[in-house]
Amino acid sequence: MSADKPSVNIEFLAWATVFVGGDGSESREFVEDIRPGDTLRAVLKRLSRRYRDLDKALWDRGSDALSEHIEIAVNDALLGINHTLESGVKDGDRIILMGQYMGG
């Protein structure tokens, strides 16, 4: 990724890092170049094509919708508040993926 191209920062937190080669104990960050007209879905699809485990965890196989196991925030707001998968991305956006925690 080039510093002079428009890009977004993508951060994986805690156990979600296991899907991109981490050990689940710390965060991992990526800088992903973006193209004119890119949506959040397009950026995440490109990244998940490079990481098979992420692809399996992020996308529901039956519908190609997001699975239930990973929460996504864009610029500190959870997906569905200010952004959807079809929202455009812009240079400098920050995308955070974190595993959902369930307890009982």
Side-chain angles (χ1 to χ4, degrees):
M1 311 309 152
S2 172
D4 57 345
K5 290 184 179 181
S7 62
V8 294
N9 297 309
I10 303 175
E11 182 177 10
F12 288 80
L13 299 178
W15 68 263
T17 65
V18 300
F19 303 123
V20 290
D23 65 6
S25 65
E26 295 183 3
S27 66
R28 288 200 71 181
E29 286 196 48
F30 298 85
V31 175
E32 188 74 22
D33 288 347
I34 56 174
R35 304 169 186 158
D38 262 352
T39 62
L40 180 59
R41 179 187 300 275
V43 171
L44 292 175
K45 280 289 193 178
R46 275 198 305 273
L47 184 63
S48 66
R49 279 194 290 267
R50 293 196 312 268
Y51 292 93
R52 187 172 156 190
D53 290 339
L54 176 61
D55 189 59
K56 288 179 184 177
L58 191 57
W59 305 106
D60 179 72
R61 291 291 161 233
S63 67
D64 205 34
L66 286 175
S67 74
E68 299 176 356
H69 307 294
I70 298 178
E71 286 286 346
I72 299 173
V74 179
N75 299 328
D76 298 324
L78 288 176
L79 192 65
I81 295 176
N82 294 329
H83 295 84
T84 69
L85 283 176
E86 305 316 320
S87 295
V89 293
K90 63 184 183 320
D91 188 38
D93 278 351
R94 182 170 183 79
I95 302 165
I96 299 172
L97 289 87
M98 59 203 120
Q100 288 186 346
Y101 289 93
M102 297 179 207

XYZ file of all heavy atoms in Angstrom:
808
model
N 0.841 -1.165 0.000
C 0.000 0.000 0.000
C 0.894 1.239 0.000
O 1.894 1.287 0.680
C -0.915 0.026 1.209
C -1.704 -1.250 1.502
S -2.597 -1.884 0.098
C -2.633 -3.592 0.466
N 0.472 2.221 -0.722
C 1.304 3.400 -0.905
C 0.798 4.559 -0.067
O -0.402 4.766 0.066
C 1.297 3.780 -2.385
O 1.932 5.000 -2.576
N 1.738 5.332 0.475
C 1.370 6.465 1.317
C 0.685 7.567 0.520
O -0.050 8.364 1.082
C 2.600 7.013 2.016
N 0.907 7.633 -0.796
C 0.305 8.708 -1.576
C -1.038 8.323 -2.194
O -1.680 9.131 -2.848
C 1.265 9.198 -2.663
C 1.711 8.091 -3.604
O 1.529 6.915 -3.274
O 2.259 8.419 -4.671
N -1.490 7.099 -1.973
C -2.801 6.658 -2.463
C -3.822 6.771 -1.340
O -3.482 6.594 -0.167
C -2.735 5.198 -2.921
C -1.936 4.987 -4.177
C -2.032 3.532 -4.594
C -1.273 3.284 -5.870
N -1.382 1.879 -6.278
N -5.076 7.028 -1.700
C -6.116 7.028 -0.661
C -6.182 5.655 0.002
O -6.094 4.626 -0.674
C -7.400 7.334 -1.424
C -6.971 7.881 -2.741
C -5.616 7.325 -3.019
N -6.329 5.643 1.313
C -6.365 4.374 2.033
C -7.216 4.486 3.287
O -7.546 5.579 3.742
C -4.947 3.940 2.410
O -4.368 4.894 3.276
N -7.568 3.322 3.816
C -8.256 3.222 5.099
C -7.389 2.387 6.029
O -6.574 1.585 5.582
C -9.666 2.584 4.968
C -10.588 3.479 4.167
C -9.599 1.193 4.365
N -7.556 2.595 7.308
C -6.878 1.802 8.329
C -7.861 0.762 8.839
O -8.999 1.110 9.189
C -6.408 2.682 9.486
C -5.396 3.695 9.037
O -4.419 3.355 8.388
N -5.627 4.948 9.355
N -7.425 -0.475 8.877
C -8.269 -1.561 9.365
C -7.564 -2.193 10.552
O -6.419 -2.632 10.447
C -8.527 -2.616 8.277
C -9.170 -1.958 7.050
C -9.406 -3.737 8.824
C -9.359 -2.886 5.879
N -8.258 -2.244 11.689
C -7.674 -2.798 12.907
C -8.520 -3.971 13.393
O -9.748 -3.895 13.428
C -7.595 -1.738 13.999
C -6.960 -2.248 15.273
C -6.804 -1.183 16.338
O -7.359 -0.072 16.175
O -6.139 -1.457 17.340
N -7.833 -5.034 13.746
C -8.477 -6.200 14.341
C -8.126 -6.207 15.813
O -6.954 -6.030 16.172
C -7.970 -7.486 13.682
C -8.479 -7.671 12.280
C -7.883 -7.000 11.228
C -9.553 -8.496 12.017
C -8.335 -7.153 9.935
C -10.025 -8.656 10.727
C -9.417 -7.987 9.685
N -9.117 -6.421 16.660
C -8.900 -6.405 18.102
C -9.074 -7.792 18.700
O -9.921 -8.578 18.264
C -9.887 -5.457 18.778
C -9.826 -3.990 18.372
C -10.895 -3.186 19.096
C -8.441 -3.411 18.640
N -8.258 -8.056 19.721
C -8.342 -9.263 20.547
C -8.441 -10.527 19.705
O -7.683 -10.701 18.770
C -9.494 -9.130 21.538
N -9.404 -11.392 20.032
C -9.423 -12.708 19.388
C -9.733 -12.656 17.906
O -9.467 -13.624 17.178
C -10.322 -13.690 20.132
C -11.791 -13.427 20.100
C -12.526 -12.785 21.063
C -12.716 -13.824 19.097
N -13.849 -12.741 20.690
C -13.996 -13.380 19.490
C -12.601 -14.497 17.888
C -15.137 -13.579 18.725
C -13.748 -14.703 17.128
C -14.994 -14.253 17.557
N -10.243 -11.546 17.381
C -10.493 -11.441 15.935
C -9.189 -11.463 15.141
O -9.191 -11.749 13.941
C -11.283 -10.175 15.619
N -8.056 -11.220 15.796
C -6.777 -11.247 15.074
C -6.411 -12.643 14.591
O -5.607 -12.782 13.671
C -5.616 -10.705 15.929
O -5.403 -11.563 17.058
C -5.881 -9.282 16.377
N -6.990 -13.681 15.176
C -6.649 -15.045 14.739
C -7.044 -15.270 13.279
O -6.494 -16.139 12.622
C -7.263 -16.140 15.643
C -6.768 -15.999 17.077
C -8.772 -16.145 15.577
N -7.976 -14.475 12.760
C -8.423 -14.641 11.377
C -7.458 -14.010 10.369
O -7.593 -14.221 9.170
C -9.819 -14.049 11.186
C -10.834 -14.651 12.112
C -11.560 -13.855 12.969
C -11.057 -16.013 12.138
C -12.493 -14.399 13.833
C -11.984 -16.575 12.998
C -12.702 -15.764 13.850
N -6.506 -13.205 10.863
C -5.537 -12.542 9.976
C -4.100 -12.806 10.430
O -3.224 -11.954 10.279
C -5.823 -11.022 9.854
C -7.103 -10.768 9.078
C -5.864 -10.356 11.229
N -3.868 -13.979 10.995
C -2.522 -14.393 11.354
C -2.044 -14.002 12.732
O -0.888 -14.241 13.068
N -2.897 -13.412 13.546
C -2.509 -13.049 14.907
C -2.760 -14.191 15.873
O -3.270 -15.251 15.499
N -2.417 -13.959 17.136
C -2.601 -15.005 18.139
C -3.783 -14.740 19.065
O -4.016 -15.474 20.005
C -1.323 -15.198 18.948
C -0.942 -13.989 19.793
O -1.720 -13.017 19.867
O 0.155 -14.018 20.380
N -4.535 -13.668 18.810
C -5.720 -13.379 19.606
C -5.463 -12.574 20.852
O -6.392 -12.301 21.607
N -4.218 -12.162 21.073
C -3.929 -11.454 22.317
C -3.695 -9.953 22.129
O -3.754 -9.208 23.086
C -2.704 -12.067 22.995
O -1.549 -11.881 22.204
N -3.416 -9.533 20.914
C -3.152 -8.118 20.673
C -3.860 -7.680 19.400
O -4.440 -8.491 18.692
C -1.650 -7.878 20.535
C -0.892 -8.163 21.817
C 0.588 -7.845 21.696
O 1.013 -7.354 20.635
O 1.316 -8.089 22.662
N -3.771 -6.403 19.087
C -4.401 -5.909 17.860
C -3.454 -6.075 16.670
O -2.250 -6.207 16.840
C -4.807 -4.446 18.018
O -3.669 -3.631 18.143
N -4.031 -6.074 15.482
C -3.262 -6.072 14.233
C -3.866 -5.006 13.341
O -5.085 -4.889 13.244
C -3.354 -7.417 13.519
C -2.553 -8.478 14.251
C -2.214 -9.629 13.394
N -1.206 -9.240 12.407
C -0.731 -10.057 11.497
N -1.160 -11.283 11.425
N 0.175 -9.665 10.628
N -3.006 -4.235 12.692
C -3.479 -3.159 11.822
C -3.004 -3.355 10.400
O -1.909 -3.853 10.161
C -2.990 -1.803 12.337
C -3.745 -1.353 13.561
C -3.553 0.120 13.836
O -3.695 0.941 12.894
O -3.261 0.450 14.990
N -3.862 -2.930 9.479
C -3.568 -2.979 8.062
C -3.917 -1.627 7.458
O -4.841 -0.959 7.914
C -4.434 -4.039 7.358
C -4.198 -5.431 7.851
C -4.857 -5.913 8.974
C -3.315 -6.267 7.196
C -4.638 -7.189 9.434
C -3.090 -7.560 7.646
C -3.748 -8.022 8.771
N -3.185 -1.238 6.431
C -3.544 -0.073 5.632
C -3.956 -0.629 4.284
O -3.204 -1.350 3.635
C -2.357 0.909 5.486
C -2.732 2.048 4.550
C -1.954 1.442 6.856
N -5.183 -0.334 3.894
C -5.746 -0.881 2.663
C -6.020 0.260 1.685
O -6.753 1.197 2.005
C -7.040 -1.621 2.997
C -7.642 -2.388 1.882
C -6.884 -3.670 1.542
O -6.133 -4.204 2.377
O -7.072 -4.128 0.402
N -5.392 0.195 0.515
C -5.671 1.194 -0.518
C -7.134 1.108 -0.917
O -7.717 0.023 -0.950
C -4.806 0.955 -1.760
C -3.344 1.312 -1.547
O -3.021 1.961 -0.536
O -2.523 0.924 -2.396
N -7.709 2.256 -1.212
C -9.092 2.272 -1.682
C -9.138 2.839 -3.092
O -8.255 3.581 -3.512
C -10.025 3.060 -0.734
C -9.536 4.494 -0.520
C -10.175 2.320 0.589
C -10.493 5.363 0.278
N -10.194 2.452 -3.789
C -10.402 2.870 -5.169
C -11.626 3.774 -5.225
O -12.504 3.694 -4.357
C -10.640 1.638 -6.036
C -9.525 0.625 -5.946
C -9.906 -0.686 -6.596
N -8.871 -1.685 -6.364
C -9.072 -2.976 -6.426
N -10.257 -3.464 -6.718
N -8.069 -3.815 -6.205
N -11.728 4.615 -6.243
C -12.916 5.461 -6.375
C -14.185 4.600 -6.369
O -14.252 3.570 -7.035
C -12.727 6.148 -7.728
C -11.242 6.157 -7.940
C -10.745 4.861 -7.329
N -15.148 5.013 -5.583
C -16.418 4.295 -5.515
C -16.432 3.106 -4.581
O -17.451 2.422 -4.455
N -15.321 2.827 -3.896
C -15.286 1.685 -2.983
C -16.307 1.846 -1.865
O -16.499 2.935 -1.316
C -13.897 1.541 -2.340
C -13.026 0.521 -3.030
O -13.516 -0.200 -3.925
O -11.831 0.444 -2.671
N -16.919 0.725 -1.520
C -17.802 0.645 -0.359
C -17.084 -0.123 0.735
O -16.047 -0.768 0.495
C -19.105 -0.098 -0.709
O -18.772 -1.445 -1.088
C -19.874 0.606 -1.812
N -17.647 -0.094 1.915
C -17.107 -0.878 3.021
C -17.078 -2.359 2.633
O -16.100 -3.055 2.880
C -17.935 -0.652 4.280
C -17.490 -1.413 5.520
C -16.054 -1.068 5.896
C -18.441 -1.117 6.674
N -18.149 -2.830 1.991
C -18.199 -4.231 1.560
C -17.024 -4.554 0.626
O -16.358 -5.571 0.790
C -19.512 -4.539 0.852
C -19.595 -5.992 0.355
C -20.832 -6.237 -0.506
N -22.066 -5.988 0.199
C -22.695 -6.866 0.974
N -22.182 -8.069 1.158
N -23.832 -6.553 1.559
N -16.747 -3.694 -0.351
C -15.677 -3.947 -1.320
C -14.324 -4.052 -0.621
O -13.523 -4.938 -0.935
C -15.654 -2.849 -2.376
N -14.061 -3.164 0.320
C -12.787 -3.176 1.036
C -12.655 -4.449 1.868
O -11.619 -5.121 1.847
C -12.649 -1.919 1.920
C -11.445 -2.016 2.837
C -12.555 -0.670 1.050
N -13.717 -4.807 2.590
C -13.660 -6.010 3.417
C -13.570 -7.278 2.574
O -12.892 -8.233 2.951
C -14.877 -6.070 4.347
C -14.919 -4.996 5.436
C -16.223 -5.081 6.221
C -13.721 -5.110 6.365
N -14.222 -7.295 1.424
C -14.140 -8.454 0.530
C -12.711 -8.636 0.023
O -12.198 -9.751 -0.027
C -15.104 -8.308 -0.654
C -16.530 -8.643 -0.334
C -16.662 -10.123 -0.142
C -18.109 -10.544 -0.124
N -18.254 -11.991 0.019
N -12.058 -7.547 -0.371
C -10.672 -7.646 -0.850
C -9.762 -8.189 0.238
O -8.931 -9.060 -0.002
C -10.159 -6.295 -1.333
C -10.522 -5.988 -2.761
C -9.668 -4.896 -3.369
N -9.655 -3.655 -2.640
C -10.546 -2.671 -2.795
N -11.541 -2.792 -3.653
N -10.437 -1.560 -2.098
N -9.912 -7.668 1.454
C -9.073 -8.141 2.550
C -9.375 -9.603 2.870
O -8.465 -10.400 3.070
C -9.277 -7.259 3.787
C -8.383 -7.573 4.983
C -6.913 -7.339 4.643
C -8.788 -6.727 6.179
N -10.637 -9.972 2.892
C -10.987 -11.346 3.258
C -10.576 -12.353 2.175
O -10.376 -13.523 2.478
C -12.474 -11.472 3.608
O -13.301 -11.248 2.503
N -10.401 -11.917 0.945
C -9.898 -12.829 -0.092
C -8.440 -13.209 0.167
O -7.977 -14.260 -0.249
C -10.035 -12.202 -1.474
C -11.432 -12.337 -2.053
C -11.450 -12.020 -3.535
N -11.237 -10.618 -3.812
C -12.202 -9.713 -3.967
N -13.474 -10.072 -3.875
N -11.906 -8.458 -4.218
N -7.720 -12.352 0.878
C -6.314 -12.642 1.195
C -6.159 -13.500 2.443
O -5.106 -14.075 2.680
C -5.532 -11.343 1.364
C -5.405 -10.574 0.067
C -4.328 -9.508 0.094
N -4.311 -8.627 1.224
C -4.942 -7.452 1.291
N -5.688 -7.026 0.276
N -4.834 -6.684 2.356
N -7.203 -13.564 3.272
C -7.152 -14.319 4.525
C -8.353 -15.268 4.573
O -9.475 -14.854 4.886
C -7.175 -13.371 5.734
C -5.923 -12.544 5.845
C -5.851 -11.274 5.277
C -4.799 -13.047 6.490
C -4.694 -10.518 5.364
C -3.635 -12.293 6.584
C -3.594 -11.036 6.020
O -2.441 -10.298 6.105
N -8.093 -16.519 4.255
C -9.167 -17.525 4.166
C -9.974 -17.637 5.465
O -11.196 -17.732 5.438
C -8.532 -18.860 3.798
C -9.505 -19.925 3.514
C -8.790 -21.133 2.983
N -9.608 -22.302 3.237
C -9.202 -23.514 3.079
N -7.985 -23.747 2.669
N -9.987 -24.520 3.336
N -9.290 -17.619 6.609
C -10.000 -17.722 7.883
C -10.911 -16.519 8.111
O -12.007 -16.658 8.660
C -9.022 -17.866 9.047
C -8.316 -19.215 9.045
O -8.834 -20.167 8.421
O -7.237 -19.309 9.667
N -10.467 -15.344 7.703
C -11.315 -14.153 7.819
C -12.534 -14.295 6.923
O -13.649 -13.992 7.333
C -10.533 -12.895 7.450
C -11.341 -11.598 7.445
C -11.910 -11.295 8.827
C -10.488 -10.447 6.935
N -12.333 -14.768 5.712
C -13.441 -14.950 4.787
C -14.506 -15.870 5.394
O -15.696 -15.578 5.349
C -12.930 -15.509 3.460
C -14.002 -15.511 2.391
O -14.528 -14.422 2.081
O -14.296 -16.600 1.871
N -14.073 -16.962 5.988
C -15.006 -17.917 6.613
C -15.737 -17.295 7.809
O -16.912 -17.556 8.021
C -14.265 -19.164 7.068
C -13.808 -20.053 5.951
C -13.072 -21.245 6.537
C -12.502 -22.132 5.467
N -11.731 -23.254 6.050
N -15.026 -16.507 8.593
C -15.613 -15.936 9.806
C -16.488 -14.720 9.534
O -17.472 -14.484 10.229
C -14.502 -15.545 10.780
N -16.145 -13.949 8.505
C -16.808 -12.664 8.282
C -18.106 -12.779 7.494
O -19.056 -12.046 7.750
C -15.842 -11.725 7.557
C -16.231 -10.258 7.455
C -16.469 -9.643 8.825
C -15.148 -9.487 6.718
N -18.164 -13.701 6.544
C -19.299 -13.747 5.621
C -20.148 -14.988 5.822
O -19.636 -16.093 5.897
C -18.798 -13.690 4.173
C -17.929 -12.516 3.935
C -16.577 -12.522 3.791
C -18.329 -11.145 3.845
N -16.106 -11.240 3.619
C -17.163 -10.372 3.641
C -19.553 -10.496 3.917
C -17.190 -8.991 3.507
C -19.578 -9.119 3.787
C -18.418 -8.377 3.586
N -21.450 -14.804 5.860
C -22.400 -15.906 5.942
C -22.441 -16.602 4.582
O -22.662 -15.949 3.556
C -23.790 -15.361 6.312
C -24.816 -16.453 6.382
O -24.749 -17.238 7.339
O -25.660 -16.524 5.471
N -22.212 -17.882 4.548
C -22.124 -18.608 3.283
C -23.448 -18.668 2.529
O -23.471 -18.690 1.319
C -21.634 -20.045 3.517
C -20.207 -20.087 3.939
C -19.295 -19.676 2.797
N -18.003 -19.303 3.325
C -17.382 -18.160 3.081
N -17.901 -17.256 2.320
N -16.214 -17.894 3.611
N -24.560 -18.677 3.230
C -25.842 -18.793 2.555
C -26.298 -17.518 1.861
O -26.964 -17.561 0.839
N -25.905 -16.367 2.394
C -26.446 -15.114 1.864
C -25.387 -14.087 1.476
O -25.726 -13.064 0.912
C -27.365 -14.483 2.909
O -26.601 -14.078 4.039
N -24.138 -14.316 1.807
C -23.051 -13.370 1.587
C -23.228 -12.100 2.425
O -22.645 -11.066 2.139
C -22.883 -13.031 0.108
C -21.464 -12.578 -0.203
O -20.525 -13.095 0.436
O -21.299 -11.708 -1.065
N -24.062 -12.196 3.449
C -24.203 -11.117 4.426
C -23.136 -11.326 5.503
O -22.452 -12.353 5.528
C -25.593 -11.143 5.052
N -22.992 -10.356 6.375
C -22.050 -10.524 7.487
C -22.526 -11.626 8.412
O -23.722 -11.753 8.677
C -21.936 -9.227 8.280
C -21.152 -8.107 7.642
C -21.254 -6.857 8.505
C -19.703 -8.482 7.442
N -21.588 -12.399 8.932
C -21.941 -13.394 9.936
C -22.174 -12.667 11.263
O -21.964 -11.462 11.367
C -20.828 -14.429 10.075
O -19.729 -13.878 10.760
N -22.558 -13.405 12.251
C -22.890 -12.807 13.548
C -21.700 -12.710 14.493
O -21.839 -12.197 15.587
C -23.969 -13.643 14.229
C -25.253 -13.730 13.444
C -26.258 -14.644 14.116
O -25.923 -15.265 15.157
O -27.377 -14.728 13.608
N -20.535 -13.190 14.101
C -19.447 -13.363 15.052
C -18.498 -12.182 15.178
O -17.696 -12.133 16.095
C -18.655 -14.617 14.695
C -19.520 -15.824 14.550
N -20.206 -16.379 15.606
C -19.850 -16.548 13.466
C -20.906 -17.404 15.185
N -20.717 -17.527 13.886
N -18.561 -11.247 14.252
C -17.624 -10.119 14.272
C -18.394 -8.810 14.207
O -19.261 -8.637 13.359
C -16.625 -10.214 13.093
C -15.787 -11.481 13.216
C -15.728 -8.981 13.045
C -14.806 -11.696 12.086
N -18.087 -7.916 15.119
C -18.648 -6.563 15.111
C -17.723 -5.658 14.319
O -16.499 -5.809 14.368
C -18.775 -6.003 16.527
C -19.882 -6.595 17.344
C -21.265 -6.115 16.931
O -21.386 -5.123 16.188
O -22.225 -6.753 17.361
N -18.290 -4.693 13.617
C -17.505 -3.756 12.827
C -17.870 -2.332 13.237
O -19.052 -2.013 13.374
C -17.772 -3.955 11.320
C -17.373 -5.377 10.901
C -17.026 -2.901 10.496
C -17.757 -5.732 9.494
N -16.860 -1.518 13.418
C -17.062 -0.096 13.687
C -16.322 0.695 12.609
O -15.244 0.304 12.172
C -16.540 0.278 15.072
N -16.945 1.769 12.184
C -16.319 2.671 11.215
C -16.249 4.041 11.869
O -17.274 4.595 12.271
C -17.118 2.740 9.895
C -16.461 3.694 8.918
C -17.278 1.353 9.281
N -15.042 4.549 11.999
C -14.835 5.852 12.648
C -15.543 5.920 13.997
O -16.264 6.864 14.298
C -15.258 6.986 11.714
C -14.459 6.993 10.447
O -13.293 6.632 10.426
N -15.089 7.383 9.354
N -15.367 4.874 14.788
C -15.851 4.770 16.174
C -17.355 4.595 16.326
O -17.876 4.726 17.430
C -15.386 5.963 17.010
C -13.873 6.034 17.114
O -13.232 4.961 17.196
O -13.322 7.146 17.087
N -18.083 4.306 15.254
C -19.519 4.022 15.352
C -19.771 2.623 14.813
O -19.300 2.269 13.731
C -20.336 5.042 14.564
N -20.521 1.828 15.571
C -20.818 0.475 15.133
C -21.546 0.487 13.797
O -22.341 1.392 13.519
C -21.658 -0.272 16.171
C -20.925 -0.668 17.449
C -21.897 -1.306 18.436
C -19.771 -1.615 17.159
N -21.273 -0.515 12.995
C -21.952 -0.667 11.715
C -23.459 -0.668 11.950
O -23.946 -1.296 12.876
C -21.515 -1.981 11.066
C -21.897 -2.168 9.607
C -21.173 -1.146 8.734
C -21.539 -3.575 9.146
N -24.173 0.055 11.127
C -25.621 0.163 11.286
C -26.050 1.482 11.903
O -27.213 1.844 11.851
N -25.117 2.208 12.499
C -25.460 3.505 13.090
C -25.245 4.606 12.053
O -26.179 5.292 11.666
C -24.649 3.762 14.376
C -25.053 2.715 15.428
C -24.863 5.171 14.892
C -24.278 2.780 16.710
N -24.007 4.782 11.604
C -23.710 5.799 10.588
C -23.314 5.196 9.253
O -23.214 5.916 8.267
C -22.578 6.715 11.064
C -22.952 7.545 12.261
O -24.116 7.903 12.435
N -21.994 7.842 13.099
N -23.028 3.900 9.231
C -22.543 3.237 8.024
C -23.224 1.882 7.849
O -23.608 1.244 8.821
C -21.029 2.998 8.109
C -20.233 4.245 8.128
N -19.995 4.960 9.288
C -19.619 4.935 7.153
C -19.273 6.020 9.013
N -19.029 6.032 7.712
N -23.313 1.462 6.594
C -23.737 0.110 6.248
C -22.629 -0.485 5.381
O -21.670 0.205 5.029
C -25.058 0.100 5.454
O -24.818 0.664 4.155
C -26.156 0.883 6.166
N -22.795 -1.730 5.000
C -21.812 -2.344 4.100
C -21.743 -1.615 2.765
O -20.727 -1.647 2.085
C -22.135 -3.812 3.858
C -21.777 -4.764 4.979
C -22.258 -6.174 4.638
C -20.289 -4.767 5.244
N -22.824 -0.946 2.391
C -22.860 -0.256 1.101
C -22.418 1.203 1.194
O -22.393 1.907 0.186
C -24.260 -0.351 0.499
C -24.782 -1.783 0.359
C -23.766 -2.789 -0.187
O -23.005 -2.455 -1.111
O -23.723 -3.925 0.314
N -22.040 1.656 2.373
C -21.538 3.025 2.534
C -20.191 3.174 1.851
O -19.350 2.265 1.899
C -21.365 3.374 4.016
O -22.594 3.394 4.683
N -19.979 4.320 1.239
C -18.688 4.613 0.646
C -17.637 4.810 1.720
O -17.951 5.212 2.844
N -16.399 4.510 1.378
C -15.284 4.772 2.286
C -14.457 5.916 1.716
O -14.465 6.161 0.513
C -14.412 3.513 2.499
C -15.174 2.445 3.255
C -13.893 2.971 1.181
N -13.777 6.602 2.618
C -12.950 7.726 2.164
C -11.582 7.643 2.815
O -11.397 6.958 3.840
C -13.634 9.051 2.451
C -13.863 9.358 3.903
C -14.639 10.650 4.057
C -14.856 11.068 5.476
N -15.167 10.061 6.452
N -10.649 8.328 2.215
C -9.277 8.339 2.687
C -9.227 8.673 4.176
O -9.845 9.639 4.625
C -8.485 9.382 1.886
C -7.004 9.333 2.173
O -6.453 8.226 2.345
O -6.376 10.415 2.215
N -8.525 7.839 4.933
C -8.356 8.078 6.363
C -9.391 7.432 7.254
O -9.258 7.483 8.475
N -10.436 6.827 6.673
C -11.421 6.137 7.512
C -10.734 5.055 8.334
O -9.739 4.464 7.916
C -12.522 5.492 6.669
C -13.614 6.466 6.263
O -13.628 7.612 6.760
O -14.466 6.079 5.435
N -11.283 4.805 9.511
C -10.764 3.766 10.413
C -11.847 2.715 10.605
O -12.944 3.021 11.053
C -10.377 4.386 11.740
C -9.792 3.415 12.715
C -9.203 4.164 13.919
N -8.576 3.249 14.828
C -7.373 2.727 14.653
N -6.670 3.039 13.596
N -6.867 1.895 15.534
N -11.507 1.490 10.252
C -12.433 0.361 10.351
C -11.880 -0.589 11.410
O -10.713 -0.980 11.357
C -12.554 -0.351 8.987
C -13.034 0.635 7.921
C -13.474 -1.561 9.101
C -12.850 0.147 6.500
N -12.716 -0.929 12.377
C -12.298 -1.823 13.453
C -13.170 -3.074 13.410
O -14.402 -2.987 13.324
C -12.431 -1.132 14.831
C -11.541 0.101 14.877
C -12.090 -2.107 15.948
C -11.740 0.961 16.115
N -12.525 -4.231 13.467
C -13.235 -5.505 13.532
C -12.900 -6.136 14.872
O -11.727 -6.254 15.241
C -12.815 -6.439 12.394
C -13.322 -6.015 11.022
C -12.370 -5.048 10.356
C -13.574 -7.215 10.156
N -13.936 -6.510 15.585
C -13.733 -7.124 16.896
C -14.703 -8.284 17.057
O -15.822 -8.236 16.558
C -13.923 -6.094 18.007
C -15.290 -5.444 18.040
S -15.282 -3.861 18.860
C -15.840 -2.817 17.535
N -14.235 -9.319 17.700
C -15.089 -10.474 17.946
C -16.168 -10.132 18.942
O -15.950 -9.379 19.884
N -17.345 -10.691 18.706
C -18.430 -10.504 19.660
C -18.147 -11.368 20.895
O -17.628 -12.475 20.779
C -19.769 -10.926 19.063
C -20.282 -9.976 18.034
C -21.675 -10.364 17.567
O -22.161 -11.463 17.812
N -22.335 -9.455 16.885
N -18.499 -10.840 22.025
C -18.366 -11.592 23.266
C -19.747 -11.946 23.756
O -20.637 -11.108 23.809
C -17.636 -10.764 24.332
C -16.182 -10.588 24.032
C -15.714 -9.486 23.332
C -15.270 -11.562 24.427
C -14.370 -9.336 23.046
C -13.918 -11.416 24.127
C -13.491 -10.317 23.445
O -12.159 -10.171 23.158
N -19.917 -13.210 24.065
C -21.199 -13.683 24.584
C -20.925 -14.363 25.922
O -19.915 -15.021 26.073
C -21.837 -14.656 23.613
C -22.177 -14.038 22.292
S -22.894 -15.284 21.234
C -22.445 -14.613 19.653
N -21.823 -14.183 26.809
C -21.633 -14.809 28.108
C -22.955 -15.269 28.679
O -24.007 -15.074 28.095
N -22.856 -15.852 29.775
C -24.094 -16.342 30.389
C -23.887 -16.616 31.820
O -22.885 -16.439 32.414
